[in-house]
Amino acid sequence: MSTSAVPSVLFVCVHNAGRSQMAAAFLTHLGGERVQVRSAGSAPADTVNPAVVEAMREAGIDISAETPKVLTVEAVQSSHVVITMGCGDACPYFPGKRYLDWQLDDPAGQGADAVRPIRDEIERRIRGLLAELLPERP
């Protein structure tokens, strides 16, 4: 499958330590090689939120080796869909890109109990996005 035929999605939140990491992990897990996935933050944290790592492990996805990444203009330019999760004005805008803004609670400073419903909502949205991006395989 050529890279141009593969839809690419960039998930962005401020610290790239919670919501965007979960979204990227779910899309990678569910979409496999049919989708190119990136995540980044406008002010990335040093590490992924441990409660997020725990909640994702419970869902069968290990993100313990992931690290927050800085948002770059190149990442936005090379993505078909950019999904923001609370980065506000720090997200660059390019005409012709599809932008979605997912309003989700921030898991920062929360325990796994508070992260689970956020995780489950992200998974629900990812399944819907995947059905849109790859309608032949919902």
Side-chain angles (χ1 to χ4, degrees):
M1 186 182 294
S2 74
T3 303
S4 62
V6 176
S8 59
V9 180
L10 170 64
F11 296 99
V12 182
C13 65
V14 175
H15 300 300
N16 189 225
R19 295 164 290 186
S20 56
Q21 290 284 348
M22 288 190 282
F26 273 124
L27 188 54
T28 299
H29 180 75
L30 297 170
E33 293 182 7
R34 300 175 297 154
V35 182
Q36 184 179 34
V37 183
R38 297 177 187 86
S39 72
S42 52
D46 293 330
T47 61
V48 175
N49 179 333
V52 166
V53 172
E54 179 183 339
M56 290 301 288
R57 186 175 294 123
E58 292 170 2
I61 301 172
D62 182 7
I63 62 168
S64 61
E66 295 297 325
T67 57
K69 293 164 269 323
V70 68
L71 177 63
T72 65
V73 169
E74 294 79 19
V76 177
Q77 287 177 322
S78 60
S79 299
H80 296 104
V81 181
V82 179
I83 300 176
T84 57
M85 303 174 163
C87 70
D89 295 338
C91 297
Y93 177 82
F94 294 96
K97 299 286 176 197
R98 179 177 175 203
Y99 288 86
L100 301 171
D101 185 36
W102 289 358
Q103 294 296 316
L104 297 157
D105 291 337
D106 188 349
Q110 311 258 10
D113 287 342
V115 172
R116 287 183 194 104
I118 301 167
R119 173 201 66 200
D120 295 345
E121 177 60 17
I122 289 172
E123 181 182 10
R124 184 189 70 73
R125 292 181 189 205
I126 291 297
R127 288 182 182 279
L129 177 67
L130 200 51
E132 282 180 43
L133 294 174
L134 305 168
E136 72 281 0
R137 296 183 191 177

